[in-house]
Amino acid sequence: MPRPPTGSLAGSAWTGDLPPEEHALRVRELIVEMCGSAEGGHLGGSMSLVEILVTLYRSVLRVEPAAPDDPERDVLLSKGHGAIGLYAVLAERGFFPAEDLATYGRPESLFSAHPNPAVPGVEMPTGSLGHGLPLGVGFALAARLDASPRRTFVVLGDGKLQEGSNWEAAMAAGSLGLGRLVAVVDRNSLQITGPTENAVALEPPADRWRGFGWHAHEVDGHEIALLRATFDGIPADTDRPAVLIARTVKGRSLPYIEGQTRSHYARLGERPKKRALAILRARSRKAAQAWPPWHPTPRAPRAPRSGPLPRRPRSRPAVRSNATCWRSSSPRTSGWCAWTATPACSTAWTSAPPPSATSTSASPSRT
Ligand SMILES: [Mg+2]
């Protein structure tokens, strides 16, 4: 019989005062900021699981940021390609200051493109495909042997389900009757090479999980109220593990990449990052005004422009200035395209040598 929850974890809840949807937007802003770093990040798959993680950390998981190693805490193993989404949610949940994420991708930083267990709140370094669920089975079995009330949640990308080790783990969990194990599938129907159904078909996913002895639920993965109700409906004391198949959209909230494979990994230049932030903030302008700035250092005011605008030199080759092909004016990223290189883009850049990567002077057309 599991022990009752400890006092420090029972009923622990997100202490923020923003509505959950605005928390989700705030998390998306942080994801975009990290994708604007030199490292870049898994943009599409992180955007698709935002509401899943927000719901879990707001309303479901018994965790306490002040005691991230409490042995009775619930455990969450996140999909490796959602690391920046996990970091953003952990920051909003209070495990560390959100300002720390500004170091993301730097050599000395704790925050890397795959989950780093040195970060408070991150349990395991997932990311090698097929590891998460087998680890989750081990965590759940250990909790049972400890007679602990802790539950184990494993967030899986659907592309990850192409690995057979997941199905071995699913079969073992059903056979062992690990009722305190919950899997959540971020079912955005895309993996790094394209639609999941073009690789090994995963539909109908609920039937497959039920065949291994799991309770299976399907839900809109962007509706926080539905996610909350579904999680609440999963009994804690049962002899069957449960899976929640969350139907999501890769790249959610950025219309020009939603549902597109190319959103998988992105290094956003300054312009696409600003564009993405503008789109997100337009969705909740009132809340955005209250959010703290990402860069706490005040910037010097710009001198007012005098004289006519400089003209673009006629000899400069045309470059597609749309969402599929941006080039940052930042010296950090000059010389390559932040988004997928299209043929038009490649032609343009190969016909015009990029400026020196060490140059810090912007061309007149970009001032
Ligand atoms: Mg996917």
Side-chain angles (χ1 to χ4, degrees), residues 158-159 186 188-191:
D158 49 4
D186 178 15
N188 59 33
S189 300
L190 290 173
Q191 57 192 69

Side-chain angles (χ1 to χ4, degrees), residues 22-313:
E22 291 179 4
H23 261 142
L25 280 168
R26 170 65 182 162
V27 167
R28 286 199 159 88
E29 274 198 67
L30 295 174
I31 290 171
V32 167
E33 294 281 3
M34 282 183 270
C35 287
S37 71
E39 175 78 2
H42 292 99
L43 176 61
S46 295
M47 294 296 236
S48 69
L49 57 65
V50 167
E51 283 81 7
I52 296 170
L53 292 180
V54 166
T55 305
L56 283 167
Y57 277 94
R58 278 184 71 99
S59 313
V60 181
L61 295 175
R62 292 182 309 105
V63 292
E64 176 50 60
D69 298 322
D70 189 307
E72 305 274 277
R73 71 192 183 281
D74 288 341
V75 171
L76 180 129
L77 305 176
S78 177
K79 69 173 191 177
H81 288 181
I84 57 175
L86 177 62
Y87 296 152
V89 172
L90 290 174
E92 287 296 300
R93 184 65 176 83
F95 282 84
F96 47 83
E99 288 75 14
D100 289 359
L101 295 176
T103 67
Y104 168 79
R106 295 179 190 164
E108 73 280 8
S109 176
L110 293 179
F111 303 100
S112 50
H114 283 206
N116 181 359
V119 174
V122 175
E123 301 284 358
M124 294 294 290
T126 54
S128 297
L129 297 182
H131 283 178
L133 193 56
L135 284 168
V137 169
F139 274 90
L141 189 56
R144 175 197 280 178
L145 295 173
D146 289 344
S148 168
R150 64 180 182 266
R151 300 170 79 190
T152 302
F153 294 78
V154 182
V155 178
L156 300 160
D158 49 4
K160 180 178 281 195
L161 292 179
Q162 305 289 6
E163 293 290 339
S165 52
N166 289 296
W167 301 105
E168 292 180 51
M171 186 163 53
S175 177
L176 293 167
L178 297 176
R180 302 181 79 76
L181 173 65
V182 179
V184 186
V185 178
D186 178 15
R187 184 69 175 120
N188 59 33
S189 300
L190 290 173
Q191 57 192 69
I192 192 169
T193 54
T196 57
E197 303 312 278
N198 288 356
V200 175
L202 300 174
E203 295 288 337
D207 290 347
R208 296 174 190 273
W209 290 88
R210 290 185 184 116
F212 287 118
W214 289 56
H215 290 297
H217 310 265
E218 291 196 60
V219 66
D220 183 332
H222 296 301
E223 289 294 332
I224 291 175
L226 293 176
L227 286 163
R228 169 81 188 272
T230 307
F231 280 120
D232 288 348
I234 296 173
D237 292 312
T238 176
D239 59 355
R240 283 189 172 209
V243 61
L244 194 156
I245 296 153
R247 299 282 180 178
T248 61
V249 178
K250 195 158 186 165
R252 173 77 170 190
S253 293
L254 298 179
Y256 48 94
I257 59 166
E258 276 189 350
Q260 298 186 37
T261 305
R262 69 189 176 95
S263 72
H264 186 85
Y265 198 97
R267 295 180 183 90
L268 300 178
E270 201 60 30
R271 289 178 64 192
K273 187 181 86 171
K274 287 180 178 176
R275 182 189 185 195
L277 292 175
I279 290 172
L280 296 175
R281 287 169 181 165
R283 296 188 174 213
S284 185
R285 193 172 301 281
K286 183 178 178 182
Q289 290 171 352
W291 289 338
W294 172 258
H295 298 290
T297 307
R299 297 179 181 177
R302 277 188 174 184
R305 181 189 296 280
S306 60
L309 288 171
R311 289 180 175 276
R312 178 189 296 271

